[in-house]
Amino acid sequence: MYRAVEATRDILPGEIERWQFIEQTARDIFARYGFREIRTPIFEFTDLFKRSVGEATDIVSKEMYTFTDRGDRSLTLRPEGTAPTVRAYVQHSIHKAEESTRWYYAGPMFRYERKQKGRYRQFAQIGVEVLGADEPHVDAEVIEMVMFFLASVGLSGLVLHLNSIGCKTCRDAFQEDLHKTLAPLIGEFCSDCARRYDRNVLRILDCKVDRERVAKLPSILDNLCSACEEHFTAVRGALDDAGVSYVLTPHLVRGLDYYMRTAFEVTAPGLGAQNAILGGGRYDGLVKQLGGPDVPGFGFALGLDRLVMILPENAGLPAAADIFLVVLGEAAGKEARRLALTLRHGGLRVVLSPAPRSMKSQMRAAGRSGARYAGILGETELAAGQIILKRLSDGQQEACALGSPESLMEVLAHDRS
Ligand code: HAM
């Protein structure tokens, strides 16, 4: 028997409704904030990710699915969506047509990561990017939007972590300081941190192993230049105005190189070590770095796999059928199929009893299906030109004329959710 590749999985009906519920809610809410969808290819030239995400990051140095195609090009299955989105923005010269652009995307990403709860090698993200706006209130507006989205899918008890990682000027100076501070201490840190010390010292602040030691290290928030300080104060003020609460987390640095200034993540209790359900921040400079104009950027991506895991149990339950047709006899079966066609074309959800069975077993199946009504059609009803409509919640029933599907639809539409 073949099985799905390790750390990938099938999403079957039963779970898929939860995914659809999240996707539909996201589309609805993001549209209210002026975001439109973009779809980019699943693979890109490898160099795109090297240049944007950064060669020293875990993603590029050890997690990418990179292959050479038959034309001898080095291609990579996208590990994230920001770089492809910015690539498309530059390729299509969008900045010439719009002053500010709001895009979102949804789809699979690929990272060869260690298998763990909530961590997959193919996982899905919904991401949002704002290109062409560097005002602090835009950062706050996008964060407010995602918190609104999370509440709308029924989630509470989440923690929004907020930080500023400064700009090149203040960060370079801070990194130098951090290097010096760490020089006599680095031997006590974990092996990943020892590696980061030379390649990407800031990431040591994000170490999950040595939290206590990390807490004693200097904070970038105390070392921001005045422009970054001002920007961050304004972001915080706008979040306060919008009633969004957050935890200031000075050691939040994010794992991709393109970030500057605002950085944020939302974590969920109960997810274990992989508890970030979304992350993002500002990335002014990336568009230019990828060959475009000097246009600022801000965005985030949320991990659908993790979000689905913490969704309330009843969220996104499949919509119940409006009517389950209980059919007795061949002639009634034919009539029921005709009626199902009319009702479905009229927008109703109809289940046809799948096989000729006793009335009792069909009624039991109707009850189990969660349908709101059973429509009973046997030889007697057929002869009278009627169908019996039985409301399954309380057993109340009435006869409707088969020749007038409109009146039937009226009854069915009555208390439809
Ligand atoms: P990221 O923090 O690498 O950021 O990923 C965002 C989210 O994707 C994470 O918070 C997590 O929920 C989910 N995720 C990441 N890796 C996995 C995995 N192996 N399995 C399951 N879920 C995972 C980015 O990707 C940036 N492009 C976000 C961004 C957009 N920044 C600005 N714009």
Side-chain angles (χ1 to χ4, degrees), residues 80 82 111 113 118 120 125 129 254 258-259 276-277 299-301:
E80 60 100 54
T82 307
R111 296 182 193 175
E113 289 196 82
Y120 299 94
Q125 284 187 344
E129 314 293 352
R254 311 275 301 129
Y258 47 65
Y259 290 113
I277 56 166
F300 70 85

Side-chain angles (χ1 to χ4, degrees), residues 352-396:
L352 265 170
S353 188
R357 278 181 293 164
S358 72
M359 166 97 166
K360 200 169 156 199
S361 96
Q362 289 190 56
M363 283 306 289
R364 223 181 297 126
R368 268 200 311 266
S369 77
R372 293 186 305 119
Y373 282 88
I376 304 161
L377 194 57
E379 306 291 336
T380 328
E381 288 76 22
L382 202 57
Q386 289 186 329
I387 179 167
I388 309 291
L389 269 195
K390 181 170 182 172
R391 191 157 65 194
L392 291 168
S393 57
D394 59 5
Q396 195 186 319

Side-chain angles (χ1 to χ4, degrees), residues 27 34-39 102-107:
R27 284 176 200 283
F35 286 89
R36 298 169 73 193
E37 185 176 1
I38 171 175
R39 296 187 191 183
R102 294 184 164 216
W103 281 347
Y104 74 87
Y105 49 85

Side-chain angles (χ1 to χ4, degrees), residues 35 128 130 137-146 298-300:
F35 286 89
V128 152
V130 181
H137 67 80
V138 171
D139 306 25
E141 184 194 3
V142 172
I143 295 175
E144 165 214 305
M145 176 181 82
V146 73
F298 183 83
F300 70 85

Side-chain angles (χ1 to χ4, degrees), residues 15-227:
E15 187 185 347
I16 200 76
E17 289 81 5
R18 292 160 74 77
W19 288 70
Q20 290 165 342
F21 168 66
I22 293 175
E23 288 160 5
Q24 275 155 14
T25 310
R27 284 176 200 283
D28 169 31
I29 288 177
F30 296 174
R32 295 190 215 177
Y33 285 75
F35 286 89
R36 298 169 73 193
E37 185 176 1
I38 171 175
R39 296 187 191 183
T40 63
I42 270 170
F43 52 84
E44 299 272 352
F45 288 111
T46 303
D47 202 45
L48 174 71
F49 299 111
K50 286 191 179 166
R51 287 218 59 174
S52 53
V53 176
E55 303 236 22
T57 60
D58 286 353
I59 295 179
V60 172
S61 64
K62 49 187 191 185
E63 294 170 1
M64 294 209 300
Y65 280 91
T66 297
F67 59 98
T68 307
D69 79 353
R70 289 170 192 275
D72 222 20
R73 306 170 190 92
S74 177
L75 304 178
T76 292
L77 297 184
R78 61 182 186 193
E80 60 100 54
T82 307
T85 302
V86 170
R87 194 261 314 131
Y89 177 86
V90 173
Q91 181 176 336
H92 302 285
S93 301
I94 304 295
H95 70 284
K96 289 189 185 150
E98 318 180 334
E99 205 176 308
S100 161
T101 296
R102 294 184 164 216
W103 281 347
Y104 74 87
Y105 49 85
M109 307 290 160
F110 306 84
R111 296 182 193 175
Y112 191 86
E113 289 196 82
R114 205 158 24 84
K115 197 178 160 188
Q116 204 176 0
K117 181 181 170 194
R119 193 148 76 175
Y120 299 94
R121 293 184 179 160
Q122 174 174 333
F123 58 97
Q125 284 187 344
I126 300 184
V128 152
E129 314 293 352
V130 181
L131 295 150
D134 60 4
E135 298 91 340
H137 67 80
V138 171
D139 306 25
E141 184 194 3
V142 172
I143 295 175
E144 165 214 305
M145 176 181 82
V146 73
M147 297 316 283
F148 173 39
F149 159 78
L150 292 169
S152 303
V153 296
L155 292 174
S156 54
L158 304 174
V159 184
L160 166 62
H161 298 273
L162 187 72
N163 193 21
S164 172
I165 54 168
C167 61
K168 193 162 167 26
T169 316
C170 44
R171 200 170 45 222
D172 280 356
F174 175 70
Q175 269 172 303
E176 225 168 275
D177 270 1
L178 194 59
H179 234 264
K180 280 192 204 129
T181 312
L182 276 167
L185 307 170
I186 193 66
E188 300 164 23
F189 281 74
C190 71
S191 56
D192 271 344
C193 284
R195 198 172 44 83
R196 287 172 185 146
Y197 180 74
D198 294 318
R199 303 184 65 179
N200 199 354
V201 70
L202 216 56
R203 283 288 285 167
I204 294 181
L205 297 178
D206 201 29
C207 176
K208 305 277 186 288
V209 186
D210 287 314
R211 282 214 189 275
E212 260 177 47
R213 257 189 273 268
V214 166
K216 293 185 195 130
L217 293 174
S219 144
I220 185 144
L221 271 187
D222 300 329
N223 292 275
L224 295 180
C225 65
S226 58

